[in-house]
Amino acid sequence: MSRSNIANRKSKILPAPWVVVAGGFHGRGGMDKANAALAACLLARGTPVHLVAHEVAPELAADPLARVHLVARPARSFLLGERLLARRGTEVARAVTGRWPAARVVTNGGNCPWPDVNWVHAVHHAWPPADRGAPVLFRARNRLAKAVARRRERAALGAARLVVANSERTRRDLVERLGLDPARVRTVRLGGEAGCRVVTAEERGAARAWLGLGGARPVVAFVGALGHDCNKGFDTLLAAWESLCGHPRWDAELLAAGAGRGFEAWEREVGRRGLAGRVRLLGFTERVGDVLAAADLLVSPARYESYGLNVREAVARGVPALVSAAAGVAEEYPPGLAGMLLPHADDADDLARRLLLWREDVEAWKRRFAPLGARLRERTWADTAAEFVGLVEAAGDDDGLRVAGCGFGAERVLDF
């Protein structure tokens, strides 16, 4: 930002600040991108913002109207980190609303029980553990974490004045599983990067060269965590792939981008099934965009997916995607693409049939997805953030739900 712009902003009377409590504000991960877009939108229009998070992108932190309150994540524990995030978020929210009663506070799910706006990116009450076969200690910890998350979720959402969902699937879960009043639960669809375009032949060639892919063999991509929990459905995909590799017409290669504590176990499973030559586990990579550029299809047989940003990003770039019908992003699919919606995430045989259907005419499926991709490219993260801000402002204020005052001097937390 230029010095003249900064001076102009400082010369004006600033509006009441916002406080946004989130795990992160950066370009990695769906909810982190959404929260980063919200922060960028508010800052661009001259609204002071307090960002309470574990990580904040440098470009946001550098804005003179941003105040960053970083929260540690002890031992890289999400459970411990979220407790500290809730505590710090509450402290900052009390200080800000105590000084500016018109300030807005936005939290995410169960991360901070503040009675204002809650932007929900996943519903733990609709998301069961999928860790059958995982180590006993992991299963015990996983269930403890899920129980804690559900308790926090119920408390935070029960207190919220306005709840914003990222899909109609998420909205239904909030109303049906948590009993929230439908009148205070709204939906704001997610967006994508401005300037997103269909993968060009040059980009595809460069991406395939980076991955060492030669020839005309089609490539199927999987993008998701490879942990002990199988929520993303990689076990279903692997079972389907094993059966497909015995089919004379199946010649595709599978690339799996993602890491997790179960990564080595998945490597052994690939070897045990005799798929080492047909399945490549890439591990963690920041070049997911290149993986999609090299792919002919993305597969996401997730058991629970409130939205599915990886699917949206693939389709927007011209890459067809086969996804669980229960995922929020499936709402974007028109009837003509029903063949690319998996009714049951555990059904490996059905997934294999749908993959064969796609393989029969790869180019035809690409053409069928083109109109959806064009529509998705029209909606950016800036559109999502602007709609969110407009919804919050239109909802008005409810002084009965404000928590005024704070237990310490506001100067400890803020200077605007």
Side-chain angles (χ1 to χ4, degrees):
M1 180 178 299
S2 68
R3 291 185 178 181
S4 60
N5 284 340
I6 293 173
N8 289 336
R9 287 164 69 176
K10 287 185 175 180
S11 68
K12 298 177 182 178
I13 298 176
L14 294 177
W18 284 45
V19 177
V20 187
V21 183
F25 297 86
H26 50 74
R28 305 185 307 279
M31 68 178 68
D32 301 318
K33 289 183 178 181
N35 286 305
L38 172 59
C41 174
L42 292 168
L43 292 169
R45 70 179 208 161
T47 300
V49 185
H50 289 265
L51 307 176
V52 186
H54 301 301
E55 184 179 356
V56 178
E59 61 270 21
L60 294 175
D63 193 290
L65 289 181
R67 293 294 179 270
V68 175
H69 309 271
L70 288 180
V71 178
R73 185 178 280 149
R76 301 177 65 185
S77 168
F78 287 95
L79 191 62
L80 295 176
E82 190 162 272
R83 291 188 65 179
L84 295 177
L85 189 68
R87 181 183 303 170
R88 187 58 172 159
T90 300
E91 290 174 350
V92 175
R94 281 179 178 162
V96 174
T97 57
R99 188 170 173 182
W100 292 277
R104 310 314 311 234
V105 179
V106 179
T107 60
N108 285 190
N111 74 353
C112 184
W114 190 264
D116 197 2
V117 183
N118 195 306
W119 197 359
V120 180
H121 299 281
V123 181
H124 286 283
H125 280 77
W127 180 359
D131 55 7
R132 184 177 59 184
V136 174
L137 182 58
F138 173 86
R139 295 179 66 188
R141 289 176 176 171
N142 198 28
R143 279 158 173 71
L144 173 61
K146 181 63 68 175
V148 171
R150 287 176 174 173
R151 185 172 69 249
R152 291 176 176 170
E153 180 177 77
R154 185 172 293 279
L157 294 175
R161 179 180 60 83
L162 172 66
V163 179
V164 181
N166 62 359
S167 68
E168 285 302 312
R169 185 255 155 89
T170 299
R171 185 177 186 276
R172 286 193 302 271
D173 286 337
L174 292 168
V175 172
E176 296 172 4
R177 294 179 180 270
L178 284 153
L180 299 187
D181 180 358
R184 65 185 180 100
V185 184
R186 305 291 294 276
T187 301
V188 173
R189 293 187 301 112
L190 300 184
E193 303 299 331
C196 176
R197 63 183 185 183
V198 174
V199 176
T200 65
E202 292 76 15
E203 289 171 329
R204 176 179 169 84
R208 289 176 71 94
W210 167 62
L211 290 164
L213 298 170
R217 175 183 287 189
V219 173
V220 175
F222 170 90
V223 177
L226 293 177
H228 293 305
D229 189 290
C230 297
N231 178 62
K232 294 299 183 182
F234 188 66
D235 56 330
T236 302
L237 177 55
L238 208 58
W241 208 264
E242 183 178 17
S243 67
L244 285 168
C245 286
H247 196 286
R249 290 183 296 162
W250 188 251
D251 59 347
E253 180 175 351
L254 175 61
L255 301 181
R261 293 182 178 178
F263 185 82
E264 292 182 355
W266 285 116
E267 283 186 317
R268 292 192 295 270
E269 184 65 13
V270 168
R272 186 188 70 79
R273 291 176 180 263
L275 299 175
R278 303 292 295 275
V279 177
R280 287 173 57 189
L281 305 186
L282 302 177
F284 172 77
T285 176
E286 294 185 348
R287 299 179 64 174
V288 172
D290 288 325
V291 175
L292 293 178
D296 298 286
L297 178 73
L298 175 75
V299 179
S300 180
R303 292 177 170 84
Y304 171 79
E305 190 72 86
S306 64
Y307 185 75
L309 198 60
N310 58 339
V311 172
R312 189 194 194 286
E313 292 178 347
V315 176
R317 299 198 68 198
V319 181
L322 200 168
V323 61
S324 298
V329 72
E331 299 161 11
E332 308 273 13
Y333 279 45
L337 297 180
M340 285 292 158
L341 296 177
L342 183 67
H344 305 289
D346 292 318
D347 194 338
D349 291 336
D350 187 30
L351 176 56
R353 285 193 294 271
R354 292 172 191 275
L355 285 167
L356 279 175
L357 179 67
W358 162 79
R359 183 64 187 95
E360 287 176 0
D361 201 336
V362 173
E363 292 303 316
W365 280 108
K366 186 178 294 187
R367 290 192 297 272
R368 292 176 193 174
F369 269 87
L372 174 58
R375 177 165 61 81
L376 293 178
R377 288 192 295 276
E378 291 177 355
R379 183 174 177 83
T380 67
W381 280 117
D383 296 324
T384 296
E387 182 179 343
F388 182 94
V389 172
L391 179 61
V392 172
E393 292 180 336
D397 205 356
D398 186 345
D399 291 333
L401 288 178
R402 291 290 181 181
V403 180
C406 55
F408 47 83
E411 66 276 2
R412 289 182 53 188
V413 177
L414 47 94
D415 56 12
F416 56 65

